[in-house]
Amino acid sequence: MGGVRFRSPSTGRSIRAVLFDTFGTVVDWRTDIASAVAGYAERHRLELDAAAFADRWRDRYQPSMEPIRSGAREFVTLDTLHRENLDAALLESGIDPSDHDAGELDELSRTWHELTPWPDSVPGLTAIRSDYIIGPLSNGNTSLLLDMAKNAGIPWDVIIGSDMNRIYKPHPRAYLHTAQLLGLHPGEVMLAAAHNGDLEAAQAAGLATAFILRRLEHGPHQTTDLAPTGSWDISATGITDLAAQLCAASPG
């Protein structure tokens, strides 16, 4: 890798790897999940607001990980949690999942493997990759992230899934073990994310940070993460903007 690398004001180190939160930052989960739910509902003649159901399914994401982060539950993959959360969201919607074919529900849950990148994601990642190691720093398991990358043409150099760290963000080990697996000091790793809470945890673990604005991650009425709330190293309007700012780095 050539070129001048960005020197992080917060860590005092030159960045060697730029890693990305994936759901919401790199890919548009809500549009694809709502579309898949709408198709399922139409086939089975279910009265469902697909977008609201997608939100309900996603709302269970962080709470379902908390018993694992706390040690109350052994680690299971995000695929397992997504499938469990689908059943719970169906029940919450007045639909008994036991009345539906388990294989079809498994297939619906696999939609999380096939999400579409935001329009700027692939060109921005391709540009960043010329000078930095890039990969996901995600709660997704390795097979999920691999399928997503192959399906969407996401040009990762490396994929370290949560099943390799055996813990979920924002637990510090999720950030620190990823850096360790790359053979890097935490301060040489930058997390880019659309979620201020993720960046706060990464910064506390010693990583550099970049905020990526995604105004529509949660739909047109989004009220959270519309601006950076911390002293992150970079604030960008998208991944191509992040690439431009990294490429404009001057020698430290």
Side-chain angles (χ1 to χ4, degrees):
M1 295 181 295
V4 176
R5 297 196 187 100
F6 179 84
R7 188 172 182 85
S8 163
S10 65
T11 71
R13 291 177 177 265
S14 293
I15 299 304
R16 295 183 59 194
V18 183
L19 306 182
F20 291 80
D21 169 73
T22 303
F23 300 109
T25 301
V26 176
V27 296
D28 174 12
W29 62 266
R30 189 174 188 265
T31 299
D32 286 343
I33 294 300
S35 177
V37 168
Y40 185 87
E42 182 177 2
R43 290 193 302 274
H44 293 273
R45 300 180 181 179
L46 300 175
E47 293 292 331
L48 273 182
D49 180 327
F53 187 89
D55 292 336
R56 191 174 301 125
W57 193 356
R58 177 68 174 181
D59 284 346
R60 294 181 173 275
Y61 178 75
Q62 288 292 347
S64 69
M65 297 174 192
E66 188 50 38
I68 296 169
R69 287 191 289 253
S70 70
R73 181 181 185 182
E74 290 292 320
F75 181 85
V76 296
T77 67
L78 187 59
D79 277 341
T80 297
L81 296 179
H82 274 154
R83 184 63 178 84
E84 293 174 354
N85 293 342
L86 172 58
D87 281 355
L90 287 167
L91 286 169
E92 189 179 345
S93 303
I95 300 166
D96 188 346
S98 66
D99 292 337
H100 291 254
D101 180 77
E104 284 192 70
L105 292 178
D106 291 344
E107 192 62 29
L108 177 58
S109 193
R110 281 189 62 82
T111 305
W112 292 96
H113 288 233
E114 301 168 355
L115 303 179
T116 304
W118 297 106
D120 63 283
S121 291
V122 171
L125 291 170
T126 301
I128 294 169
R129 187 172 182 253
S130 64
D131 288 309
Y132 300 88
I133 298 164
I134 65 166
L137 206 173
S138 170
N139 285 327
N141 41 283
T142 303
S143 61
L144 183 159
L145 295 168
L146 178 59
D147 287 346
M148 185 189 298
K150 295 295 284 185
N151 179 67
I154 300 172
W156 300 132
D157 290 309
V158 63
I159 295 176
I160 298 172
S162 57
D163 49 327
M164 297 176 71
N165 292 323
R166 309 291 290 180
I167 197 64
Y168 288 114
K169 298 184 300 178
H171 193 286
R173 193 166 79 244
Y175 308 97
L176 295 174
H177 192 234
T178 298
Q180 181 183 4
L181 288 172
L182 292 174
L184 298 177
H185 186 281
E188 297 176 311
V189 177
M190 172 177 279
L191 174 68
H195 313 119
N196 285 286
D198 198 356
L199 295 174
E200 182 179 353
Q203 187 180 71
L207 275 65
T209 51
F211 176 77
I212 306 292
L213 177 62
R214 295 299 189 199
R215 292 186 181 277
L216 297 176
E217 178 190 354
H218 297 282
H221 305 296
Q222 181 169 321
T223 59
T224 59
D225 292 316
L226 295 175
T229 60
S231 54
W232 318 133
D233 292 293
I234 293 176
S235 178
T237 58
I239 297 180
T240 49
D241 182 34
L242 174 62
Q245 294 191 54
L246 289 170
C247 290
S250 58

